[in-house]
Structures are given as structure tokens and as C-alpha cells.
Amino acid sequence: MDPYDSQGSTSRRRTSNLKDYFVGATPLQKRLESIRRQSSFFPSPPRRKIPQGTELQEEIDPQKVGFLLHKQWTVYSLTPLYKFSYTNFKEYSRLLSAFIAAEKQKGLAVQVGEDFNIKVIFSNLVGVRGTQRDPEAFLVQILSKSQSSREHREGRVLWTGWFCCVFGESLLETVSEDFTCLPLFLANGAESNTSLIGGWFQKTFDCCFSPLAISAFHLSWMAAMWTACEMDHYMATTEFFWSVPCSPQSLDISYAIHPEDAKALWDSVHKTPGEVTQEEVDLFMDCLYSHFHRHFRIHLSATRLVRVSTSVASAHTDGKIKILCHKYLIGVLAYMTELAIFKTE
Amino acid sequence: MATPRNTRRSQLRSRISQGSDSYQTNLLAWKVKAEPGNSKCVLKDSSAVEDSTHADDQAEDDLRIAVEYFQRGPRKASLNKEKILEKRLKTLENVAWKNGLAPETIDILLNVALSGKFGNAINTRILKCMIPETLISEDSVVKAVSWLCVGKCSGNIKVLFYRWLVAMFDFIDRKKQISLLYGFFFASLQDDALCPYVCHLLYLLTKKENVKPFRVRKLLDLQVKMGMQPHLQALLSLYKFFAPTLISVSLPVRRKIYFNNSKNLWASALIAVKQRNQGAFPEPPKLILGPSKGRSLKRKWSSHSVIPALNSANIECRGKKHLSDFLRSEISLPIEQLQSFPQLLQNIHCLELPSQMISVLNSSLLLHYINCVSDEAILLRLSYWLSQTLQEECIWYNINNYEQEKEFTNFLDIVIRVQCFLQEGFYSCEAFLYKSLPLWDGFSCRSQFLQLLTWIPFISFSEVKPLFFDHLAPLFFTSTIYFKCSVLQSLTELLQNWLLWLSMDDHVQPVTSSPLETTLGGSMDSVFQLIDYVGWLSVIAIRLESNSTLLLHFILDFYEKVCNIYINYDLPILVLFPTAIFHSALLSLDASILNQLCYIIYRYRNNLTAAKKNNLLKKEKSEFSLSSKICQEFNYYLTVMVHCLWMSTPFEKGVYIDPQILENTEVTEYRNSLNLVHHPSLLSYAACFLLQESPEERTVDVSSIRGKKWNRYLDYLFSEGFQGLKLFIKSSIHCSSVS
């Protein structure tokens, strides 16, 4: 028997809390310790790996990936889901579709399991995770069942949302068995549907969503990391958007570069193989700034970076991302997971 | 004031409360005699009227005659048939509306009204009189319901009966058998005219076990047939509450009234009955429909400024179903039904916890539960939600907006209130402080922010310093004096919370081989460092604010806590204030500061003496030894004070100043200048004292206060409220010299 446990169980909670704090045994205490360890308010590591594919990525169903790529997702951070179970997807589908139906026709009661003109599908996103220890991602789709297109059994997709955690486990020290930690939530579809479905998740699994804005600082990191990715062929130009706050309308500056030029610039500032450091990111952006200044006499560093788009992915400061490259799906999600975890911690 | 009626009533009540068995036998005996043909003196035998007094006799007799009359049924050939009937009805109505009817009477008359002996009009009038004196027997209701099946009463009477049943529901003594009739009532929903009232009755009767899939389907069919009717909506939402896996409904937000009209007929009578019952039978808790109590009308799902409403968790949705879940769900109490503290105590083992744990912030009852619960998952759920919400709502992260600031302030106020109630800080709040302090302007939500600071849970000071205090210090030094005072006040409360926490029973037991410092000494070190740190802040602040009296007050308040730790909290901590604070206080121009200083010195003395005594008693065991440095330092303070205030020999012991320098100041009488009479803060008291002593005196010579007059002057000072000074003088100065 652990001596602290036997003491803790007999004394009051507050007492045991203090002991636990000293011993650091429970998830709650681990969580607290990690909070206290973060000596600065922004725990951004000074270096990150350049995104690579993982073996797990091979497992991803190509049809499912089709859903995820080339779509604009609004990203949210999400606290751990309480008592969520991957084996209950059928039940969740029934409940959520009844809930949506009831909400849409305010005041009219509906029977759970009844046939509505919408269909909710919960399904696993096999392989969308960084390590085996990450909980598996899952997808929620809302389909409309239209009578006319009987042959299309699937119907039209009204709304899609997915929950994932990629390389999150190393950052999350506080996993308790009652909770499933999927800190990143991505939604595509009408905002009203997102709020409806998000509300249902909040009530059912006692979790809490909040929109995940991406700061200019993180956008610069994304720009650097995504430029650093090796591509077989480039699908889009590398483009940056800056916003200048001035009246009556704010001024947007767009800066497009040929992706190979961007890569060449990156290679010139890049030193440590396989890694991206804070200095390199700063240097990369400074080069872009000075180039722009030479031509247009505008200090971009005094404006605000609001959007970055590359052949790998694009991201907007409002918390919208679009992933273009299948190969780096996991890499992009890993960074987003990191941001989401920082938000929820 | 025991009038005969009251006595009767109280006897009646005690008879009812004796227990259902005795009551039941009474009623049975009564019923046997009430067989037709044998009814002459039925009511005389009834125990309900046996002790009636003369004053009531007449009314009682009239009522008895009336009841007998109705029980016999209408007579075929009678001259004054109409007249007598009217008279009997009037009697009945008068008694019923004035005092209510006994259960037995209601039993008989319900039978009469529903058996169709009289015409509709008469039956209606009789039914309207069915007002109980205190209670209605369940059996009467069951019998009455059985009449409904016979088909002898008209639709209107049925409607009236259901309305009556709903109105009187709370006064039915038991509901077990009525609950068994659930299926019968449910079937009556078919009748369009009855439907609204039956819905209401079912709403009152429905329990979890009544909610069955076939009933859900039936109700949904009705909804299809009749459209969105409020009474159906109410019943459906109750079904949803009990069985969210069977049915889903979202009630319109605006609607508040789901059942109409049913109580209007008896409204005044009901109040009277309730007054007669006067809390002897507390009203059964009623379910409140979701939206009607919802505070927030807006659907803001992604910004959680409003704490969600309490809703029971839907166990079926939460993961795998265990056997224990099924067992628990049978007996568990939904939190919506939780209304009182005793109820909480009775059901504490089987509470159905809210689906969103954070909703407990608004429920004082459930906070009691949280306070004693040891389930880590509950605390984690609270913690996750709070962390995210604090960060999300924090106004200095986002663009400022007045409305939002108000919401955030209110939210913080709630959190602070809860922390005070639990006497414990949330970890999420602590983390929020660490994360947000570097970005804080020192102005937004200042009072809330500083109150959160007071609840930082006990932690090693060396850990919290870089996270918190290093960021607070620059704000402290650069802000106004009011900010400084507020910070000092919060730090005083923080110290107090830590001390209370450490002094509570056994948790500072030395634990060996633990990864972190856990020894008594370790915890004490943390407190030492906090006190030191506040001392450092105070010394600099005193200089920045040029010895401001206001600031000194807050600093001395802090040391008033510090000086008492040894005695008040039984912790081996003795820390003196910095010399700079002592001198500022001693030379202050404010008399109350001087008084406070005297009090602190007096308390230090007591604490030191106690510590010294303990040290001698258990020298070998004690983990803390009173350092001679503290004693020396204290003695220095004491000597300086006695020399200045009492002996008029400043600067000789303790503070030594070269006499040459003193001469250069050209103050001739410097020796007296800091004693109790000449001290700058007390000079006005000395003058007042002299004026009071000899009002006719033209000139005031304060130097004349010595000898006996000095003693009178002291008494005068004490009477002016210098309690600290009094305690100080009584303890530190032996007045042999004066006598």
C-alpha cells in the first residue's frame, strides 16, 4: 500500500489535495504542475520538426481524406470529452439527429430513431493521429435525405465536423480514463449547424468549445514550416496577406511568390536539417519584409499578417484552414493540435 | 389563542398525522355505517364531529342534514323540492368555502356528484364545493375515478372533475393508488375536451417508470393530430426529461404558461387550505420546464459567458451502460428536483449529477456536494471548463467591449463567490492568473483580479514568484497608491488563507522520500518568503509614496497578521517588520498609526514570550528554535519605543545620533520631542487634554503634563480609543517609577 494513499483517504479532501500536490499523483495535480512549470505565459518551443508523413498515415482511407482536403475548415479548441465512447456511434447518431430535428422545428417533439429528412453519421477517421497513443479521430456528417435522388443513398452533405488529436499525447499529461482528449475540432458548414451540434456535444460530453484564432506569430511559423516541406510538384503559389488598419476601409496587402522562389529563400536561411527554429522563422520573414520594402517602401513588419497560403495548406487568422497536400496532412494537424492544446490548458 | 375551532382542527390534523393506518380504520368504520338505509346518525358517530362545541353545533347540524339529503338522492314527490334543494346547496357551499369539508364528507359528496343522481347543474355546484378542510383521502379519488368509467356523468362534469383533481392534487393524502391509474388517465387523452386537463394531471403524476415507448408514440400521434398544443408540449418535455433517448423536443423560449385556467375556480379556496395546513404538509417539489427558468435567451454556444443551466446528465448517452448505471438510474434523484438541504442529505448517494458540471456554480446546494465530493473526474470537469472559459472570455485578450467586460466581471464575481464558499481556490483560476497577469493592464476587473490572487492555493513561494510576483511587482511600483493598498490588502488575505490552510490538522506532517519539499520546514519557508517579499514591497512603496498614512495602514494591517501567527495559527513563524517600516510608523503624523504600531509590538511581545516558553519546555523536540537575532531585533524596537514615548530619552539607546548633529538642528528640547505628549501625532491630544483640565487657562503649556497629570493624561488617551497604546504600556512598562 502506498503510504500517502492511506493517509489521503482518511483525511478530508483539502488535506489530501495538498498531499497529492506534493506527491503529484493524480491527473488534476499533474495538470496543475504542468501549469506551474510553464514559466512564461507563452510556452512556444524555440524549435519544431519539419512536417513528415507517418506510418499511421498509410492507414487513412483515401475516400475519407477526400472529405478533409481542399475544404475550408473553421477550427476550434475543445476540452476533453467526458465519458465519450467509440462504440456508441450508432446511439449518438440517433440522439443527435433527433436533437437537430427537434431544434429545427421548435416546440414539436420528435421520437428518437424516427425517420427524419436528415441523417447523422458518426465514423472513425482511421489513421488520423500522430502516434498509437493519440485517441482516434472521428468524423460527424449531417446529410440531407432528398426524395428525388434515391440512387444517391448518401444524400447531400449539409455539414461536416471532425475531432482529432495528432501528437497531442506528449503535450497532454492529464489523461484520465473518463476523458477522451481530442483538442482540435474542425467544422465545415453553416455556422448555425456548428453551434447546434457543438451545443449538443457540450451538453452530452461536458466539454467546451472555443474558436481557435491563429495569431500572426503562429502564421509566420506556418509559413516557414510549410515552405520547408519537400513537394513533388507545387499546386499553388505561396501567398501572404497583410492587413493595415486604416479608415474608412482597412487596406489589405497581398504578396505572392512563386513557391520555388520561396523554397529557395528558405533553403538559404535554413541551417538545422529536419528542424525549424525561431531564428530561422524570423529571418525568413525579415527577408520577405526587406524585399518588399526595397520595392514598395512599406514596412510590412508594422502591419498585421492575416493569411498565409502555400501548396501544403492555407490558414487565416480568424481560425480557418484549408489543407491541400495529402502528404502533410498529419504535419499540419500536429501544429494545429499544439495550438489547440495550448488554448485549453 | 386556542379557539374551539382551532383545537378541533389541530386534533384533526394530529389524527391525520398519526399515520395512515388509524385514519384508514376510522374511515372504514365510518363507511360501514354509511350503507344506505342505515344512515340516520352516521355523521354523529363520525369522530370528526364528536368534540364540536355549541357554537359550531348549528352549522355542523345543517351540514349534516345537507349531506344526508344529498346522499339520499332526489325525492320524487315533495312540495318544496326546489326550495329545500337550494337551501341544502347553500348550506353546503357556505361551509365548504368558509371552512372546507372533512375527508369523509368529500367522499360522500363526490360519489353523489359523479353518480348522476342529480342533474348536471346540481352536480356542478356540488363538485365546485369539494374544498378540503385539510386533506382529501386517496380512496375518495379512486372511487370517483371509477364513476367516470360507468358513463353516468356528462362530459362537462368529467372536465370539471379533472380540473378539480389537478387543483386539489397537492391535498390528496397519498398518491400510490392514483399512480396505478396512470394507464387509465393516459387513455383519457383521446377525449379532445379532456385532453388539456388530463395532460396536466399526467404532468403531475408522471414518474420515470411511466415513460414507455408506446406512450411516447401515442403522444407524438396526438401531436400530429392536434398540432403544437402547450399542454402536450409540457408533457412531452417531461417525457424527454425522463427519457432523452426516446424523445427529443426543444421548447419555444418565450412561452411560460403551459397549463391554463385549471386553478382559477378554486384559487381563493386553495390559499385558505394552504393556510390551514400551514406548512405541516410541505408542497411537493415541482419540476420546472427548461426554458422558463433559463436565464439566457441568446444562443451563444461558443462563448460561454453565461454559465449553463442545471440539467441532469443523460446517463444513457455516456459511454457503455453498466449494470450499476441501470440500478442507479432507477432510484437516482435528478438535480432539477433538488430543492432543499435535507433533501440533498437524503439523496447525496444517488444524485444524478448535471450534464455540464460547471452549472453547479449557480447552485448553492450542489456546491455543498462539491465541497465534500472526492471524485476527481468532477473536479477535472470543472477545471477544464473554467480554464477554457476564463481564457476565452478574458477581456484583455480580446477587443474591448463594454458589454463583454460587464459579463466577464460578473462571471469572475461568481467564481470568486464560489471560491469563498469552498474556502479554496480553483487550479484553473490559478493558471489563469499566471497566464494573464503578464498581459494585464492593472485596471480592467482590478478588484476581481486581486480577489482571485487571494485564493492562490498554497504553493512553494520560489515557484510562484517567477510566475506571478515578478510580474506583479512592476505594476505595483508604477501604479497609484490605491492600487498599492489594494495589492497589500490582497496579499494580507493570501497570507491568511495560506496560514489557515497550513494550520488545519495534519497535512504538514513531515513526509520523507517525497519528490518535493514536504517537510514542515519547507512549508514554513514558503510563508517566510512571502512575508519577506511583502516586506520588500512595503519598504519600497513607503519611499515611493513618501510615508503615506493610508499606505502605512495597509502595511501595518499585514503585520498585524504576521505578528500573531505563532499564537493564532500555532505555526512556528515569527518574522518582524523591516526597520524602515518601524521608523515610518513611529514617526508618523497620524495617531492611529502610532496606536497600531503599539498594538503590533504588544502582540509580538506575547508571541515571542509564548515561543520562548515552548522552546524551553520541549527543547529537544522542537523543530524550530527561536533565533536570538529576532529577540535582539525586537528588543531594539521595544527599547526605542520606550525611550522615545515614555522616558523622553530618544537617540540614546537604539537609534544613536551624534549629539552634535542634533544641536545643529537648533531644536533645543529634542529630548522630549518624541514622548507621549510632544509626539507630533499626539500633540493635539495633549492640548485638548489641557483645555479639558483647565478650560480657563489662556496659554497651553504641554510641558506641564508630568507626574500625576501624566497619569491623567494617559487615562485621557485611553478613553480616546488608544487601545493599542494601552496594551503596550500595560505590558511593557512597569509603572513603579510614576507612583
Side-chain angles (χ1 to χ4, degrees):
Chain A
M1 253 308 263
D2 192 77
Y4 312 126
D5 278 355
S6 56
Q7 276 177 9
S9 58
T10 50
S11 57
R12 281 173 299 155
R13 180 169 66 90
R14 237 174 247 127
T15 310
S16 64
N17 269 357
L18 186 72
K19 276 200 192 96
D20 290 343
Y21 155 61
F22 286 136
V23 180
T26 70
L28 190 65
Q29 299 305 329
K30 279 188 194 148
R31 180 174 158 73
L32 174 68
E33 270 174 47
S34 75
I35 289 163
R36 284 173 174 167
R37 264 204 308 276
Q38 292 164 5
S39 50
S40 73
F41 70 97
F42 179 67
S44 179
R47 56 184 64 232
R48 289 189 177 85
K49 280 196 180 127
I50 293 176
Q52 301 290 332
T54 62
E55 295 109 61
L56 288 168
Q57 200 169 348
E58 309 298 317
E59 299 171 16
I60 305 178
D61 175 3
Q63 203 203 336
K64 289 261 174 75
V65 175
F67 284 131
L68 311 184
L69 297 180
H70 301 285
K71 259 201 195 97
Q72 176 151 293
W73 300 101
T74 309
V75 287
Y76 296 84
S77 67
L78 177 64
T79 62
L81 302 167
Y82 177 64
K83 298 251 168 162
F84 172 80
S85 162
Y86 288 94
T87 56
N88 273 10
F89 279 175
K90 265 225 168 87
E91 183 71 3
Y92 298 155
S93 301
R94 272 158 42 85
L95 291 172
L96 180 55
S97 55
F99 174 79
I100 295 171
E103 286 289 329
K104 293 253 152 130
Q105 38 194 347
K106 273 233 166 281
L108 210 57
V110 298
Q111 189 178 0
V112 173
E114 200 182 304
D115 207 20
F116 308 112
N117 53 6
I118 54 148
K119 190 175 177 191
V120 176
I121 305 170
F122 279 69
S123 60
N124 284 320
L125 282 172
V126 180
V128 181
R129 55 177 164 176
T131 66
Q132 293 288 359
R133 290 184 305 160
D134 283 330
E136 201 156 82
F138 69 94
L139 180 76
V140 181
Q141 285 171 295
I142 313 292
L143 309 174
S144 76
K145 283 195 244 165
S146 50
Q147 265 73 33
S148 57
S149 55
R150 281 264 165 193
E151 63 275 20
H152 293 296
R153 217 167 46 80
E154 297 272 278
R156 197 166 58 86
V157 178
L158 290 178
W159 183 92
T160 316
W162 46 300
F163 299 74
C164 71
C165 176
V166 178
F167 292 112
E169 229 233 354
S170 52
L171 294 160
L172 282 167
E173 298 178 46
T174 60
V175 245
S176 143
E177 56 178 285
D178 285 335
F179 296 92
T180 308
C181 218
L182 293 161
L184 184 62
F185 169 68
L186 304 96
N188 174 272
E191 167 72 29
S192 60
N193 278 331
T194 309
S195 80
L196 207 61
I197 294 153
W200 183 81
F201 270 93
Q202 292 193 149
K203 271 187 221 139
T204 313
F205 304 109
D206 201 356
C207 56
C208 184
F209 290 81
S210 70
L212 184 62
I214 307 169
S215 69
F217 176 85
H218 291 120
L219 285 174
S220 315
W221 263 92
M222 287 173 176
M225 284 197 298
W226 295 345
T227 307
C229 291
E230 294 289 343
M231 298 290 284
D232 301 330
H233 62 280
Y234 291 101
M235 286 175 285
T237 50
T238 303
E239 201 170 359
F240 298 83
F241 286 87
W242 280 274
S243 162
V244 185
C246 56
S247 63
Q249 282 157 317
S250 70
L251 180 68
D252 287 335
I253 300 170
S254 152
Y255 185 171
I257 312 165
H258 192 279
E260 277 165 19
D261 295 343
K263 181 77 165 77
L265 173 62
W266 171 255
D267 286 339
S268 72
V269 300
H270 181 54
K271 288 180 196 75
T272 14
E275 277 187 343
V276 180
T277 64
Q278 182 68 59
E279 294 78 49
E280 288 171 359
V281 174
D282 293 342
L283 197 54
F284 178 67
M285 294 307 285
D286 283 345
C287 289
L288 292 173
Y289 292 156
S290 58
H291 178 73
F292 197 83
H293 183 250
R294 199 173 313 131
H295 287 280
F296 303 103
R297 300 283 150 203
I298 293 174
H299 288 287
L300 284 177
S301 53
T303 65
R304 198 164 68 98
L305 182 59
V306 292
R307 205 185 116 190
V308 167
S309 69
T310 69
S311 293
V312 172
S314 70
H316 192 279
T317 187
D318 291 347
K320 294 200 166 65
I321 65 163
K322 191 189 268 185
I323 303 168
L324 303 173
C325 178
H326 175 205
K327 191 173 157 196
Y328 295 112
L329 173 70
I330 293 296
V332 172
L333 291 177
Y335 190 62
M336 295 308 298
T337 305
E338 188 189 324
L339 294 186
I341 288 175
F342 171 65
K343 183 83 185 276
T344 56
E345 274 287 287
Chain B
M1 279 254 306
T3 64
R5 270 216 83 79
N6 279 345
T7 343
R8 217 201 85 174
R9 212 170 285 139
S10 65
Q11 276 166 357
L12 182 69
R13 204 176 300 143
S14 68
R15 188 164 60 87
I16 291 162
S17 58
Q18 268 165 18
S20 49
D21 285 344
S22 59
Y23 179 43
Q24 201 66 1
T25 39
N26 254 338
L27 198 69
L28 274 174
W30 202 83
K31 264 194 272 176
V32 172
K33 285 176 192 161
E35 291 297 317
N38 209 2
S39 56
K40 269 185 195 166
C41 44
V42 168
L43 286 165
K44 264 186 190 158
D45 286 351
S46 132
S47 56
V49 284
E50 65 190 6
D51 46 21
S52 61
T53 54
H54 291 294
D56 285 329
D57 270 356
Q58 189 56 44
E60 298 266 342
D61 280 350
D62 285 352
L63 176 64
R64 182 173 53 82
I65 293 163
V67 173
E68 277 175 38
Y69 170 84
F70 286 115
Q71 201 175 12
R72 267 200 301 275
R75 280 174 214 181
K76 296 275 148 54
S78 172
L79 278 173
N80 300 333
K81 191 179 136 195
E82 294 293 316
K83 235 181 174 177
I84 293 172
L85 179 62
E86 184 59 34
K87 194 184 158 203
R88 300 290 179 249
L89 268 176
K90 271 272 173 319
T91 313
L92 185 62
E93 278 166 354
N94 283 341
V95 177
W97 285 90
K98 204 173 148 215
N99 297 319
L101 301 173
E104 298 83 353
T105 316
I106 291 182
D107 188 77
I108 296 172
L109 291 176
L110 263 182
N111 255 324
V112 172
L114 295 169
S115 62
K117 280 182 193 164
F118 292 89
N120 249 353
I122 310 293
N123 289 340
T124 306
R125 281 179 72 180
I126 295 177
L127 257 183
K128 282 185 183 169
C129 297
M130 296 293 97
I131 298 158
E133 187 179 3
T134 52
L135 283 180
I136 299 166
S137 141
E138 185 188 27
D139 280 353
S140 320
V141 177
V142 174
K143 264 195 280 174
V145 171
S146 71
W147 277 114
L148 297 183
C149 311
V150 180
K152 287 211 169 175
C153 44
S154 67
N156 284 344
I157 293 293
K158 277 187 189 171
V159 168
L160 188 64
F161 172 72
Y162 275 108
R163 292 174 68 181
W164 174 81
L165 196 51
V166 167
M168 301 300 168
F169 192 78
D170 291 346
F171 305 117
I172 302 171
D173 58 353
R174 278 159 305 141
K175 277 129 195 159
K176 207 171 167 193
Q177 295 188 52
I178 298 178
S179 296
L180 294 177
L181 292 173
Y182 192 90
F184 171 78
F185 292 128
F186 195 88
S188 310
L189 285 173
Q190 298 283 35
D191 188 328
D192 285 354
L194 289 184
C195 187
Y197 310 105
V198 176
C199 268
H200 196 167
L201 179 65
L202 290 174
Y203 185 80
L204 298 172
L205 271 181
T206 302
K207 294 204 186 76
K208 196 165 186 167
E209 59 266 26
N210 298 125
V211 181
K212 296 273 160 44
F214 73 88
R215 292 205 175 116
V216 170
R217 276 196 296 277
K218 186 77 218 165
L219 283 180
L220 290 169
D221 286 347
L222 271 179
Q223 184 186 248
V224 170
K225 199 175 100 190
M226 312 205 308
M228 247 192 267
Q229 298 294 333
H231 47 269
L232 262 185
Q233 275 181 331
L235 188 58
L236 280 163
S237 69
L238 187 67
Y239 269 49
K240 183 212 165 195
F241 169 73
F242 283 125
T245 52
L246 290 177
I247 182 171
S248 189
V249 65
S250 152
L251 290 183
V253 173
R254 295 242 175 87
R255 185 182 286 282
K256 289 237 165 82
I257 299 160
Y258 289 87
F259 300 109
N260 245 333
N261 249 341
S262 40
K263 281 192 176 170
N264 287 358
L265 273 178
W266 292 279
S268 64
L270 287 180
I271 295 167
V273 179
K274 270 180 203 159
Q275 273 169 356
R276 282 201 287 268
N277 285 343
Q278 258 184 8
F281 305 95
E283 267 192 84
K286 290 233 180 74
L287 281 171
I288 306 156
L289 286 173
S292 55
K293 69 170 176 179
R295 290 187 301 127
S296 113
L297 299 184
K298 53 189 166 176
R299 294 192 59 81
K300 271 176 75 182
W301 77 286
S302 50
S303 77
H304 322 270
S305 47
V306 181
I307 298 164
L310 276 174
N311 281 309
S312 280
N314 169 9
I315 294 167
E316 288 87 345
C317 306
R318 291 263 167 85
K320 294 162 210 120
K321 293 173 199 172
H322 296 292
L323 184 62
S324 60
D325 281 341
F326 283 114
L327 290 175
R328 206 177 53 195
S329 64
E330 281 308 305
I331 49 156
S332 63
L333 179 81
I335 41 161
E336 287 88 342
Q337 288 176 333
L338 186 67
Q339 311 234 317
S340 65
F341 190 68
Q343 208 187 354
L344 172 73
L345 290 183
Q346 278 162 20
N347 296 290
I348 202 150
H349 59 287
C350 59
L351 275 184
E352 225 169 73
L353 288 172
S355 61
Q356 286 172 285
M357 194 51 75
I358 202 66
S359 55
V360 300
L361 290 197
N362 278 330
S363 158
S364 50
L365 275 177
L366 282 176
L367 283 176
H368 285 288
Y369 180 76
I370 296 296
N371 201 20
C372 60
V373 77
S374 58
D375 185 356
E376 179 110 300
I378 291 179
L379 302 177
L380 271 172
R381 285 160 75 184
L382 282 176
S383 161
Y384 288 136
W385 195 95
L386 258 184
S387 301
Q388 177 102 328
T389 306
L390 282 169
Q391 173 134 342
E392 183 60 28
E393 292 295 310
C394 181
I395 41 166
W396 53 96
Y397 285 165
N398 305 317
I399 301 141
N400 275 15
N401 160 332
Y402 178 71
E403 201 53 34
Q404 206 190 347
E405 172 161 3
K406 233 172 52 186
E407 262 181 12
F408 186 58
T409 316
N410 289 342
F411 173 63
L412 286 182
D413 280 335
I414 292 173
V415 173
I416 290 161
R417 219 169 47 227
V418 170
Q419 292 195 141
C420 287
F421 177 84
L422 298 176
Q423 287 290 300
E424 190 172 25
F426 289 116
Y427 300 117
S428 315
C429 294
E430 189 191 345
F432 170 71
L433 284 178
Y434 300 157
K435 266 182 166 182
S436 62
L437 178 61
L439 303 175
W440 186 43
D441 57 4
F443 181 75
S444 330
C445 308
R446 177 194 289 174
S447 130
Q448 284 76 17
F449 198 84
L450 291 178
Q451 281 182 74
L452 282 180
L453 150 68
T454 66
W455 287 108
I456 293 183
F458 180 75
I459 172 179
S460 134
F461 187 81
S462 50
E463 271 184 76
V464 77
K465 187 171 173 288
L467 293 176
F468 191 78
F469 290 103
D470 286 351
H471 295 288
L472 186 65
L475 269 178
F476 178 82
F477 293 134
T478 53
S479 299
T480 62
I481 182 166
Y482 304 107
F483 182 81
K484 292 190 178 88
C485 293
S486 311
V487 169
L488 285 170
Q489 191 183 13
S490 295
L491 290 172
T492 311
E493 278 166 42
L494 175 70
L495 175 71
Q496 172 173 302
N497 287 336
W498 282 17
L499 290 172
L500 277 172
W501 212 49
L502 288 170
S503 63
M504 261 191 333
D505 50 52
D506 57 328
H507 53 238
V508 281
Q509 297 287 320
V511 180
T512 48
S513 77
S514 142
L516 288 156
E517 277 190 315
T518 61
T519 55
L520 187 66
S523 312
M524 295 310 125
D525 262 355
S526 216
V527 180
F528 272 121
Q529 285 167 351
L530 174 67
I531 297 171
D532 260 3
Y533 188 81
V534 177
W536 175 73
L537 283 182
S538 308
V539 170
I540 298 176
I542 273 289
R543 272 183 216 149
L544 286 172
E545 300 296 339
S546 24
N547 295 327
S548 149
T549 309
L550 182 67
L551 188 66
L552 257 176
H553 266 298
F554 283 90
I555 294 171
L556 290 185
D557 279 347
F558 178 76
Y559 283 100
E560 228 177 279
K561 272 272 123 54
V562 173
C563 69
N564 269 323
I565 296 175
Y566 190 85
I567 289 180
N568 283 4
Y569 299 93
D570 197 21
L571 295 170
I573 296 173
L574 277 162
V575 189
L576 293 174
F577 36 38
T579 325
I581 303 291
F582 170 74
H583 287 142
S584 295
L586 181 63
L587 303 177
S588 162
L589 296 179
D590 188 279
S592 65
I593 293 282
L594 188 69
N595 182 51
Q596 209 175 354
L597 176 72
C598 289
Y599 176 73
I600 291 171
I601 291 287
Y602 158 74
R603 289 306 304 175
Y604 266 132
R605 186 193 158 90
N606 283 2
N607 278 265
L608 278 164
T609 325
K612 208 162 185 179
K613 214 186 254 168
N614 268 351
N615 234 19
L616 286 173
L617 279 177
K618 35 179 185 178
K619 204 156 204 170
E620 68 286 357
K621 271 199 274 176
S622 164
E623 298 170 50
F624 133 93
S625 60
L626 194 60
S627 81
S628 56
K629 193 171 156 274
I630 289 180
C631 293
Q632 277 171 15
E633 222 177 309
F634 174 75
N635 283 335
Y636 162 78
Y637 289 151
L638 193 63
T639 321
V640 170
M641 282 186 69
V642 172
H643 277 264
C644 284
L645 297 176
W646 193 264
M647 295 167 67
S648 307
T649 51
F651 319 124
E652 286 183 6
K653 284 257 176 77
V655 193
Y656 175 79
I657 298 174
D658 191 349
Q660 191 57 46
I661 297 175
L662 288 170
E663 254 168 56
N664 290 350
T665 59
E666 294 179 8
V667 178
T668 43
E669 279 295 309
Y670 72 86
R671 294 171 65 88
N672 287 334
S673 61
L674 284 175
N675 71 13
L676 284 177
V677 174
H678 292 90
H679 191 284
S681 69
L682 293 175
L683 204 54
S684 60
Y685 286 90
C688 280
F689 166 73
L690 287 175
L691 284 174
Q692 202 179 301
E693 284 266 296
S694 39
E696 65 285 352
E697 204 70 44
R698 278 290 172 87
T699 54
V700 173
D701 178 18
V702 289
S703 315
S704 68
I705 302 178
R706 59 167 77 92
K708 286 233 168 82
K709 213 170 188 179
W710 174 275
N711 281 352
R712 283 206 304 279
Y713 173 59
L714 279 186
D715 288 337
Y716 168 76
L717 283 181
F718 300 158
S719 72
E720 287 290 303
F722 284 84
Q723 286 306 308
L725 184 70
K726 187 176 179 180
L727 291 166
F728 169 74
I729 290 177
K730 291 265 151 77
S731 68
S732 301
I733 294 165
H734 298 288
C735 298
S736 55
S737 60
V738 186
S739 65

